[in-house]
Structure formats: C-alpha cells, structure tokens
Amino acid sequence: MAVGVFDSGLGGLTVHQAIAARLPDLPLVYLGDNAHAPYGVRTPDDIFDLTCAGVERLWAEGCDLVILACNTASAAALRRLQETWLPEGKRVLGVFVPMIEALTERQWGDNSPPRKVAVSQVALFATPATVASRAFQRELAFRAVGVDVEAQPCGGVVDAIEMGDEILAEALVTSHVEALLRRMPHPEAAILGCTHYPLVEAAFQRALGPQVKVYSQAGLVAESLADYLQRRPEFRGEGGTSKYLTTGDPVRVSGKATQFLRRSIRFETE
C-alpha cells in the first residue's frame, strides 16, 4: 500500500516533493492527468468525472488514501465525492483546509466558532473553476470572520507551465497580479490556490512586493498529511513502491517535470 497523489498535470509534483521530504519512508504513487489538463476551464461535472477516474486508478495501485493535489479538483469535486461516491475504507483529502488553517492560525480539527484573525485583506490566485466555486471563501468562513478575499482567475498560467514555457507563465503571473492590485491595492497575504503556482512562486512574490506574505500549499499539505497518518496509521500501509504515472505522453511529461523541478523524473504510462 502507498499513498496516492493526484493532479490534473504537473502542479501536484510540488506537493509530492514536499511529502517525500517530510515522510521519506512513505511510498507514493503520483498520477498526473496530463491528457486532460488543465482542469481549471472545465465544467464541475467534467472535473468530478475525471477526478473519480484518477482516484480509482490510484486505488488500483493500492492507495487507499489519495491526496487531491489539485485545487480545482478539491474545489469542484471533493465535497461531492466524499458525500456521494467514496466507499467504506477509502479516504480522499484535499489541499484547501491545510492552507486555511495556516492562514487563520488554527490547529487541525479546531472546530471552535469562527473568529477574527491577524489578516483582513487576502488575495487569492487560482484557476477560473476554483474561483467560480467559491470553495476557498466557504471554507474560510468556517474558521474566520472579517476577512476580505479578492480572487483573481489566472487563465493561461497552468497551460504555460504544462507547455514548459516559463517566460509566458511569468508574464501571465505579472499581468494577473496587476489586475488584482487594481481592485485590492494593499493585500496583507496572498494565497497561491493552485499547486502549479509554486513553480512560478518567485514571479508572484516579485509582482506583489516583499511586504505581502505568500502562502504556498506544498509544505502545509505535507505537514497535515504527517499529522493525519500519525492519527490514522492504518492508511500508511507497509511496503509499496513509489512511481510516477501519467495519462499523457510519458517522455514529454518526464521532460517538462525535470525542467521545472530541476531533477530527473521518469513517468510511466498510466
């Protein structure tokens, strides 16, 4: 048994890398649905169907616990998946809650009423589907009051990353940040609400300025998973082999992953 990590493409590798660093003895199976990326421009039903198919593929690899390392899937599909589709003995976790817990300085499982927190103006950068779902604002409202969230749909950024075009990706980031700053000139914090975005985090920070704290999900999700497995060790399993799977062209995907993470990664056909 291993733990599965699912994403629409390359972005979830940032989460995978952080989990592997935090839990080096934990076997991981990564599945990138590169053939259908990006998810951020798809309909909620389409995202749900693709996410279920990806999760089932990871179950076939022996992964009873799957991390949706994709904000779009977490926003558009996770709740419906957990409430209507998930069988007994399987778990699927998303990436939103660890981020919001860090932003609001609440511990995992803190179910006390929402309260005032340190920040009041938050910029959210995410895919169009994640922004449209308002899932971030909904989860935040369970934990905090008095926080103004300005969301910017970042069309094109995931496509540029998946194509391996860093120059285009960084230019699009600059444009999207400028658009948000016209509506919210002085955000105190910025949420990178897509696991692809840490690959261009430096571009977000440059465009926002050093005074804005940028929250990136990978390390937060890894720490949350470590805590979860400590409480639910039955989902950790024994043995298992780490591997990288893709629904796309494994040679092309391996090349793009190696380019962005700057270390060799070999994908296999899903």
Side-chain angles (χ1 to χ4, degrees), residues 217-229:
Q217 289 168 308
L220 298 172
V221 172
E223 200 58 47
S224 182
L225 176 61
D227 180 67
Y228 184 87
L229 291 173

mmCIF file with all atom_site columns, all heavy atoms in Angstrom, residues 217-229:
data_model
loop_
_atom_site.group_PDB
_atom_site.id
_atom_site.type_symbol
_atom_site.label_atom_id
_atom_site.label_alt_id
_atom_site.label_comp_id
_atom_site.label_asym_id
_atom_site.label_entity_id
_atom_site.label_seq_id
_atom_site.pdbx_PDB_ins_code
_atom_site.Cartn_x
_atom_site.Cartn_y
_atom_site.Cartn_z
_atom_site.occupancy
_atom_site.B_iso_or_equiv
_atom_site.pdbx_formal_charge
_atom_site.auth_seq_id
_atom_site.auth_comp_id
_atom_site.auth_asym_id
_atom_site.auth_atom_id
_atom_site.pdbx_PDB_model_num
ATOM 1  N N   . GLN A 1 217 ? 1.096  25.941 -0.905 1.00 0.00 ? 217 GLN A N   1
ATOM 2  C CA  . GLN A 1 217 ? 0.461  24.827 -0.209 1.00 0.00 ? 217 GLN A CA  1
ATOM 3  C C   . GLN A 1 217 ? 1.341  23.631 0.115  1.00 0.00 ? 217 GLN A C   1
ATOM 4  O O   . GLN A 1 217 ? 1.053  22.901 1.056  1.00 0.00 ? 217 GLN A O   1
ATOM 5  C CB  . GLN A 1 217 ? -0.723 24.336 -1.054 1.00 0.00 ? 217 GLN A CB  1
ATOM 6  C CG  . GLN A 1 217 ? -1.870 25.316 -1.054 1.00 0.00 ? 217 GLN A CG  1
ATOM 7  C CD  . GLN A 1 217 ? -2.891 24.953 -2.100 1.00 0.00 ? 217 GLN A CD  1
ATOM 8  O OE1 . GLN A 1 217 ? -2.555 24.764 -3.246 1.00 0.00 ? 217 GLN A OE1 1
ATOM 9  N NE2 . GLN A 1 217 ? -4.134 24.850 -1.701 1.00 0.00 ? 217 GLN A NE2 1
ATOM 10 N N   . ALA A 1 218 ? 2.385  23.399 -0.660 1.00 0.00 ? 218 ALA A N   1
ATOM 11 C CA  . ALA A 1 218 ? 3.055  22.108 -0.623 1.00 0.00 ? 218 ALA A CA  1
ATOM 12 C C   . ALA A 1 218 ? 3.484  21.697 0.789  1.00 0.00 ? 218 ALA A C   1
ATOM 13 O O   . ALA A 1 218 ? 3.131  20.617 1.273  1.00 0.00 ? 218 ALA A O   1
ATOM 14 C CB  . ALA A 1 218 ? 4.257  22.115 -1.560 1.00 0.00 ? 218 ALA A CB  1
ATOM 15 N N   . GLY A 1 219 ? 4.245  22.530 1.464  1.00 0.00 ? 219 GLY A N   1
ATOM 16 C CA  . GLY A 1 219 ? 4.734  22.188 2.792  1.00 0.00 ? 219 GLY A CA  1
ATOM 17 C C   . GLY A 1 219 ? 3.615  22.038 3.804  1.00 0.00 ? 219 GLY A C   1
ATOM 18 O O   . GLY A 1 219 ? 3.677  21.177 4.699  1.00 0.00 ? 219 GLY A O   1
ATOM 19 N N   . LEU A 1 220 ? 2.576  22.865 3.675  1.00 0.00 ? 220 LEU A N   1
ATOM 20 C CA  . LEU A 1 220 ? 1.448  22.805 4.600  1.00 0.00 ? 220 LEU A CA  1
ATOM 21 C C   . LEU A 1 220 ? 0.686  21.489 4.446  1.00 0.00 ? 220 LEU A C   1
ATOM 22 O O   . LEU A 1 220 ? 0.285  20.873 5.435  1.00 0.00 ? 220 LEU A O   1
ATOM 23 C CB  . LEU A 1 220 ? 0.508  23.990 4.346  1.00 0.00 ? 220 LEU A CB  1
ATOM 24 C CG  . LEU A 1 220 ? 1.114  25.378 4.559  1.00 0.00 ? 220 LEU A CG  1
ATOM 25 C CD1 . LEU A 1 220 ? 0.149  26.455 4.078  1.00 0.00 ? 220 LEU A CD1 1
ATOM 26 C CD2 . LEU A 1 220 ? 1.461  25.600 6.026  1.00 0.00 ? 220 LEU A CD2 1
ATOM 27 N N   . VAL A 1 221 ? 0.500  21.053 3.200  1.00 0.00 ? 221 VAL A N   1
ATOM 28 C CA  . VAL A 1 221 ? -0.195 19.785 2.949  1.00 0.00 ? 221 VAL A CA  1
ATOM 29 C C   . VAL A 1 221 ? 0.629  18.617 3.475  1.00 0.00 ? 221 VAL A C   1
ATOM 30 O O   . VAL A 1 221 ? 0.099  17.678 4.081  1.00 0.00 ? 221 VAL A O   1
ATOM 31 C CB  . VAL A 1 221 ? -0.489 19.619 1.447  1.00 0.00 ? 221 VAL A CB  1
ATOM 32 C CG1 . VAL A 1 221 ? -1.027 18.217 1.148  1.00 0.00 ? 221 VAL A CG1 1
ATOM 33 C CG2 . VAL A 1 221 ? -1.487 20.674 0.986  1.00 0.00 ? 221 VAL A CG2 1
ATOM 34 N N   . ALA A 1 222 ? 1.940  18.671 3.275  1.00 0.00 ? 222 ALA A N   1
ATOM 35 C CA  . ALA A 1 222 ? 2.817  17.591 3.760  1.00 0.00 ? 222 ALA A CA  1
ATOM 36 C C   . ALA A 1 222 ? 2.746  17.470 5.273  1.00 0.00 ? 222 ALA A C   1
ATOM 37 O O   . ALA A 1 222 ? 2.664  16.359 5.818  1.00 0.00 ? 222 ALA A O   1
ATOM 38 C CB  . ALA A 1 222 ? 4.252  17.859 3.311  1.00 0.00 ? 222 ALA A CB  1
ATOM 39 N N   . GLU A 1 223 ? 2.755  18.594 5.976  1.00 0.00 ? 223 GLU A N   1
ATOM 40 C CA  . GLU A 1 223 ? 2.691  18.572 7.433  1.00 0.00 ? 223 GLU A CA  1
ATOM 41 C C   . GLU A 1 223 ? 1.340  18.053 7.905  1.00 0.00 ? 223 GLU A C   1
ATOM 42 O O   . GLU A 1 223 ? 1.249  17.271 8.867  1.00 0.00 ? 223 GLU A O   1
ATOM 43 C CB  . GLU A 1 223 ? 2.930  19.992 7.981  1.00 0.00 ? 223 GLU A CB  1
ATOM 44 C CG  . GLU A 1 223 ? 3.353  20.032 9.432  1.00 0.00 ? 223 GLU A CG  1
ATOM 45 C CD  . GLU A 1 223 ? 4.623  19.242 9.712  1.00 0.00 ? 223 GLU A CD  1
ATOM 46 O OE1 . GLU A 1 223 ? 5.613  19.382 8.963  1.00 0.00 ? 223 GLU A OE1 1
ATOM 47 O OE2 . GLU A 1 223 ? 4.604  18.450 10.685 1.00 0.00 ? 223 GLU A OE2 1
ATOM 48 N N   . SER A 1 224 ? 0.273  18.458 7.212  1.00 0.00 ? 224 SER A N   1
ATOM 49 C CA  . SER A 1 224 ? -1.068 17.990 7.560  1.00 0.00 ? 224 SER A CA  1
ATOM 50 C C   . SER A 1 224 ? -1.191 16.482 7.335  1.00 0.00 ? 224 SER A C   1
ATOM 51 O O   . SER A 1 224 ? -1.803 15.771 8.140  1.00 0.00 ? 224 SER A O   1
ATOM 52 C CB  . SER A 1 224 ? -2.107 18.744 6.719  1.00 0.00 ? 224 SER A CB  1
ATOM 53 O OG  . SER A 1 224 ? -3.410 18.344 7.053  1.00 0.00 ? 224 SER A OG  1
ATOM 54 N N   . LEU A 1 225 ? -0.597 15.978 6.252  1.00 0.00 ? 225 LEU A N   1
ATOM 55 C CA  . LEU A 1 225 ? -0.636 14.538 5.984  1.00 0.00 ? 225 LEU A CA  1
ATOM 56 C C   . LEU A 1 225 ? 0.130  13.765 7.054  1.00 0.00 ? 225 LEU A C   1
ATOM 57 O O   . LEU A 1 225 ? -0.327 12.710 7.515  1.00 0.00 ? 225 LEU A O   1
ATOM 58 C CB  . LEU A 1 225 ? -0.047 14.246 4.605  1.00 0.00 ? 225 LEU A CB  1
ATOM 59 C CG  . LEU A 1 225 ? 0.067  12.758 4.239  1.00 0.00 ? 225 LEU A CG  1
ATOM 60 C CD1 . LEU A 1 225 ? -1.300 12.085 4.227  1.00 0.00 ? 225 LEU A CD1 1
ATOM 61 C CD2 . LEU A 1 225 ? 0.772  12.577 2.901  1.00 0.00 ? 225 LEU A CD2 1
ATOM 62 N N   . ALA A 1 226 ? 1.281  14.282 7.467  1.00 0.00 ? 226 ALA A N   1
ATOM 63 C CA  . ALA A 1 226 ? 2.053  13.618 8.522  1.00 0.00 ? 226 ALA A CA  1
ATOM 64 C C   . ALA A 1 226 ? 1.225  13.505 9.798  1.00 0.00 ? 226 ALA A C   1
ATOM 65 O O   . ALA A 1 226 ? 1.220  12.464 10.464 1.00 0.00 ? 226 ALA A O   1
ATOM 66 C CB  . ALA A 1 226 ? 3.351  14.384 8.778  1.00 0.00 ? 226 ALA A CB  1
ATOM 67 N N   . ASP A 1 227 ? 0.510  14.564 10.123 1.00 0.00 ? 227 ASP A N   1
ATOM 68 C CA  . ASP A 1 227 ? -0.346 14.558 11.302 1.00 0.00 ? 227 ASP A CA  1
ATOM 69 C C   . ASP A 1 227 ? -1.485 13.554 11.142 1.00 0.00 ? 227 ASP A C   1
ATOM 70 O O   . ASP A 1 227 ? -1.812 12.795 12.067 1.00 0.00 ? 227 ASP A O   1
ATOM 71 C CB  . ASP A 1 227 ? -0.906 15.978 11.527 1.00 0.00 ? 227 ASP A CB  1
ATOM 72 C CG  . ASP A 1 227 ? -1.814 16.049 12.730 1.00 0.00 ? 227 ASP A CG  1
ATOM 73 O OD1 . ASP A 1 227 ? -1.321 15.872 13.865 1.00 0.00 ? 227 ASP A OD1 1
ATOM 74 O OD2 . ASP A 1 227 ? -3.034 16.280 12.563 1.00 0.00 ? 227 ASP A OD2 1
ATOM 75 N N   . TYR A 1 228 ? -2.082 13.512 9.947  1.00 0.00 ? 228 TYR A N   1
ATOM 76 C CA  . TYR A 1 228 ? -3.197 12.598 9.683  1.00 0.00 ? 228 TYR A CA  1
ATOM 77 C C   . TYR A 1 228 ? -2.749 11.144 9.828  1.00 0.00 ? 228 TYR A C   1
ATOM 78 O O   . TYR A 1 228 ? -3.438 10.323 10.451 1.00 0.00 ? 228 TYR A O   1
ATOM 79 C CB  . TYR A 1 228 ? -3.744 12.850 8.277  1.00 0.00 ? 228 TYR A CB  1
ATOM 80 C CG  . TYR A 1 228 ? -4.966 12.027 7.926  1.00 0.00 ? 228 TYR A CG  1
ATOM 81 C CD1 . TYR A 1 228 ? -6.242 12.488 8.246  1.00 0.00 ? 228 TYR A CD1 1
ATOM 82 C CD2 . TYR A 1 228 ? -4.859 10.799 7.281  1.00 0.00 ? 228 TYR A CD2 1
ATOM 83 C CE1 . TYR A 1 228 ? -7.368 11.746 7.936  1.00 0.00 ? 228 TYR A CE1 1
ATOM 84 C CE2 . TYR A 1 228 ? -5.974 10.041 6.973  1.00 0.00 ? 228 TYR A CE2 1
ATOM 85 C CZ  . TYR A 1 228 ? -7.229 10.516 7.309  1.00 0.00 ? 228 TYR A CZ  1
ATOM 86 O OH  . TYR A 1 228 ? -8.348 9.781  7.014  1.00 0.00 ? 228 TYR A OH  1
ATOM 87 N N   . LEU A 1 229 ? -1.592 10.831 9.253  1.00 0.00 ? 229 LEU A N   1
ATOM 88 C CA  . LEU A 1 229 ? -1.105 9.451  9.300  1.00 0.00 ? 229 LEU A CA  1
ATOM 89 C C   . LEU A 1 229 ? -0.688 9.033  10.707 1.00 0.00 ? 229 LEU A C   1
ATOM 90 O O   . LEU A 1 229 ? -0.722 7.850  11.045 1.00 0.00 ? 229 LEU A O   1
ATOM 91 C CB  . LEU A 1 229 ? 0.058  9.266  8.319  1.00 0.00 ? 229 LEU A CB  1
ATOM 92 C CG  . LEU A 1 229 ? -0.320 9.324  6.840  1.00 0.00 ? 229 LEU A CG  1
ATOM 93 C CD1 . LEU A 1 229 ? 0.917  9.293  5.963  1.00 0.00 ? 229 LEU A CD1 1
ATOM 94 C CD2 . LEU A 1 229 ? -1.270 8.187  6.472  1.00 0.00 ? 229 LEU A CD2 1
#
